[in-house]
Amino acid sequence: VWRLVVNAPSISTDETSRSIGAQISGNGATDYAPTKLIRIVKNKPPLVDFISPVAGQVATVGGELDIAVEIKDDSLSLGSKVELIIDDEVIDTKEYSDSSVNSTGLSFQSAIVRFKYAITDEDLGSSLRLRAKVTDFHQEINQTEILRVPVKSDQKPTVAISNPTQGASFVSGLPIQLRANAIDDLDIERVDFYVNSILVGSDKTIPYAFIYETQENIKIEQSLSIYAIAFDSAKQSATTS
């Protein structure tokens, strides 16, 4: 099988057609393959839009902003360049292509391109102006409208003991599962558990919990004072009431 890959010619109309044939020569003889009529459509500009962040989303100092851009084009698999622009400055550029796709150019293909942007103290109090720009294989260009993302300071975590409940009773010598609910606008680093002001254990993963072994063979009923301290990724802390 003889193959030849060529680029379709540029056209000034939305659609046209071309006839394609083949001439085979060898051993002093020539033969002709049947002519076929093919359809050629005008290249369309690419499309680009933000998947995330969404309108109204807020970024936090010390965190990372996850950015997902959807690109669509009739020649996407041949290669496209995507630029992330923040406050009129190109922050990152990524190339997309897919050699496994045999594109005819008659339908749009789509892909998701992802970026990350670290939020710093310099961004605090501002609104990041995000744009995404795509350039396709034929150098057609399109870009998104500006997406504004306000930047706020990192907030302290919140934490509450979920087990045991206030007034609960337990038998001496049997374990008590200490549990706490902790949330933060970035990330919880760990939760420390205290019994009678003594650190008895810590947990770094949800659900935050620790098994506390009670004293055996007590003769007089005792009360335990239990609390937890949560630390976020910025080393800020909060204590249960």
Side-chain angles (χ1 to χ4, degrees):
V1 177
W2 296 86
R3 297 181 183 273
L4 176 65
V5 178
V6 296
N7 289 329
S10 298
I11 59 174
S12 58
T13 59
D14 289 338
E15 184 174 332
T16 188
S17 59
R18 291 288 190 274
S19 59
I20 295 180
Q23 175 182 310
I24 306 172
S25 301
N27 298 323
T30 300
D31 195 9
Y32 296 91
T35 299
K36 292 186 177 181
L37 193 67
I38 64 169
R39 176 186 175 202
I40 299 177
V41 297
K42 188 176 182 179
N43 177 58
K44 294 181 176 134
L47 301 175
V48 58
D49 198 10
F50 283 112
I51 301 297
S52 66
V54 297
Q57 186 170 332
V58 177
T60 302
V61 171
E64 278 192 327
L65 185 62
D66 292 315
I67 301 165
V69 177
E70 183 179 30
I71 53 175
K72 297 180 180 180
D73 191 49
D74 50 7
S75 59
L76 185 63
S77 61
L78 299 178
S80 295
K81 179 176 72 172
V82 185
E83 297 171 271
L84 173 64
I85 303 168
I86 298 180
D87 296 337
D88 299 323
E89 179 183 352
V90 177
I91 299 299
D92 198 0
T93 300
K94 294 192 176 182
E95 303 281 345
Y96 176 86
S97 63
D98 189 350
S99 59
S100 66
V101 176
N102 183 19
S103 172
T104 64
L106 297 180
S107 61
F108 269 53
Q109 306 147 27
S110 66
I112 304 295
V113 179
R114 300 185 183 277
F115 300 89
K116 284 186 178 293
Y117 178 73
I119 308 298
T120 67
D121 289 332
E122 295 180 356
D123 300 315
L124 181 60
S126 67
S127 284
L128 301 176
R129 294 178 290 115
L130 275 63
R131 280 188 295 126
K133 177 181 175 182
V134 59
T135 305
D136 72 5
F137 178 77
H138 301 283
Q139 301 306 301
E140 293 276 0
I141 297 174
N142 202 352
Q143 62 183 0
T144 65
E145 296 291 332
I146 291 177
L147 175 62
R148 297 182 183 274
V149 179
V151 178
K152 68 178 181 65
S153 61
D154 179 27
Q155 304 297 304
K156 288 185 177 182
T158 60
V159 60
I161 294 290
S162 58
N163 192 74
T165 58
Q166 182 72 27
S169 297
F170 298 90
V171 177
S172 68
L174 296 182
I176 303 173
Q177 185 182 56
L178 311 180
R179 293 197 306 268
N181 296 325
I183 58 174
D184 187 62
D185 50 357
L186 290 179
D187 189 32
I188 294 293
E189 184 178 87
R190 76 177 190 277
V191 175
D192 292 342
F193 292 93
Y194 288 79
V195 176
N196 294 339
S197 300
I198 298 174
L199 175 63
V200 295
S202 302
D203 197 357
K204 294 183 176 182
T205 57
I206 298 174
Y208 304 106
F210 178 77
I211 300 298
Y212 174 69
E213 300 290 343
T214 61
Q215 183 180 344
E216 295 182 350
N217 302 319
I218 63 172
K219 300 185 180 300
I220 301 174
E221 182 177 307
Q222 298 179 355
S223 295
L224 301 179
S225 173
I226 299 171
Y227 65 92
I229 302 178
F231 296 86
D232 68 9
S233 55
K235 309 304 181 184
Q236 298 186 104
S237 65
T239 305
T240 56
S241 55

